């Protein structure tokens, strides 16, 4: 018998696709948000920062439940997407992607925000004296200096998406080829008492998690950013 059957490889491919797309989109979303949080003195900074951090303390099933309600046929997002002819997003790969972005948002924002805050005002002031616009200073000074934090954010976001179970199961279910990822594949094997197949996938997740932690440790030693 093969160590991993076709359904397992399908779940692995879907997991990698989901984690890659989530990471790319999170970096696009989290970078300007982290910059704003690191620079603003607005009274909205605290509530928005708390909202971004909320997935760290909410049980995944709670977050998944409310996302399911929002994207379901009777939810505001679901009604909007149905009106546009897109159908409902729950129990689809797109819905799974949205849920992964929301749940992994703090893992992307916090390292980048910390990296921006560590820069301090002097490099940006020096850029301003050279007549660089705020936008030029952001792209030519802030972003290059924050690169270690962005790398940490990418690693954490990818790893967190790969390992998520509660939100994935609530929003996507366990549909083969559409929403069945490695974590739900392991759950299915255990339910069916197929412990040998579960061992191979679970063992792969242990090795993957260990390598991620080692990568973050090496990055921190080299001066990279990390979650506070």
């Amino acid at each position: 018998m093969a160590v991993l059957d076709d359904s397992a490889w399908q779940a692995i491919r879907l997991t990698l696709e989901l984690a890659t797309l989530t990471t790319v989109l999170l970096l696009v979303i989290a970078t300007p948000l982290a910059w704003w949080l690191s620079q603003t003195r607005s009274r909205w900074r605290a509530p928005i920062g708390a909202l971004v951090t909320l997935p760290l303390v909410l049980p995944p099933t709670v977050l998944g439940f409310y996302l399911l309600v929002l994207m379901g046929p009777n939810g505001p997002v679901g009604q909007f997407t149905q009106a546009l002819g897109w159908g409902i997003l729950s129990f689809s790969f797109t819905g799974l992607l949205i849920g992964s972005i929301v749940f992994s948002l703090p893992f992307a924002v916090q390292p980048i925000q910390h990296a921006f805050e560590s820069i301090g005002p002097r490099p940006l002031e020096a850029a301003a004296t050279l007549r660089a616009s705020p936008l030029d200073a952001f792209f030519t000074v802030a972003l290059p200096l924050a690169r270690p934090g962005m790398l940490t954010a990418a690693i954490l976001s990818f790893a967190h998406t790969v390992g998520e179970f509660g939100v994935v199961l609530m929003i996507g279910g366990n549909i083969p080829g559409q929403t069945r990822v490695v974590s739900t594949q392991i759950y299915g094997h255990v339910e069916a008492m197929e412990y040998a197949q579960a061992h191979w996938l679970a063992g792969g997740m242990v090795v993957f998690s260990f390598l991620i932690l080692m990568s973050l440790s090496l990055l921190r030693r080299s001066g990279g950013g990390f979650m506070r």
Side-chain angles (χ1 to χ4, degrees), residues 148 151-152 155-156 208-227:
L151 181 57
T152 299
I155 293 173
L156 286 174
F208 173 77
S209 301
F210 175 79
L211 292 175
I212 289 296
L213 291 174
M214 286 293 295
S215 300
L216 290 172
S217 178
L218 293 173
L219 183 62
R220 182 168 54 178
R221 288 183 183 180
S222 66
F226 194 72
M227 286 186 68

Side-chain angles (χ1 to χ4, degrees), residues 19-216:
T20 300
L21 287 173
T22 298
T23 301
V24 171
L25 292 174
L26 272 176
L27 289 177
V28 173
I29 297 169
T31 300
L33 180 56
W35 175 252
W36 182 81
L37 287 171
S38 68
Q39 302 297 312
T40 187
R41 295 183 180 179
S42 169
R43 62 192 178 98
W44 292 102
R45 182 182 187 273
I48 291 177
L51 190 63
V52 168
T53 310
L54 196 60
L56 289 177
V57 296
L58 271 182
T61 49
V62 172
L63 182 60
F65 169 72
Y66 283 112
L67 288 172
L68 180 63
V69 170
L70 286 172
M71 293 189 289
N74 297 319
V77 176
Q79 291 180 347
F80 176 72
T81 55
Q82 287 179 98
L84 293 176
W86 297 346
I88 57 174
L89 299 179
S90 53
F91 303 106
S92 70
F93 182 81
T94 302
L96 204 60
L97 179 61
I98 293 172
S100 296
I101 290 171
V102 172
F103 190 59
S104 294
L105 186 61
F107 291 86
V109 171
Q110 289 195 4
I112 301 175
Q113 181 182 346
H114 177 56
F116 283 144
E117 290 171 347
S118 299
I119 294 172
R122 294 188 64 182
L124 298 176
E125 290 171 355
T129 60
L130 297 174
R131 298 185 179 180
S133 68
L135 193 61
D136 288 336
F138 174 75
F139 281 107
T140 61
V141 178
L143 274 185
L145 291 176
R147 189 175 300 166
M150 296 185 71
L151 181 57
T152 299
I155 293 173
L156 286 174
S157 299
F158 189 91
H160 191 249
T161 303
V162 168
E164 176 48 33
F165 174 73
V167 170
V168 166
L169 191 62
M170 291 291 289
I171 298 175
N174 196 14
I175 306 171
Q178 297 183 43
T179 62
R180 178 179 289 173
V181 293
V182 170
S183 57
T184 53
Q185 179 82 1
I186 294 172
Y187 176 76
H189 283 317
V190 172
E191 272 198 322
M193 300 186 70
E194 298 169 346
Y195 292 143
Q197 294 91 327
H199 272 306
W200 280 106
L201 286 173
M205 291 292 289
V206 171
V207 172
F208 173 77
S209 301
F210 175 79
L211 292 175
I212 289 296
L213 291 174
M214 286 293 295
S215 300
L216 290 172

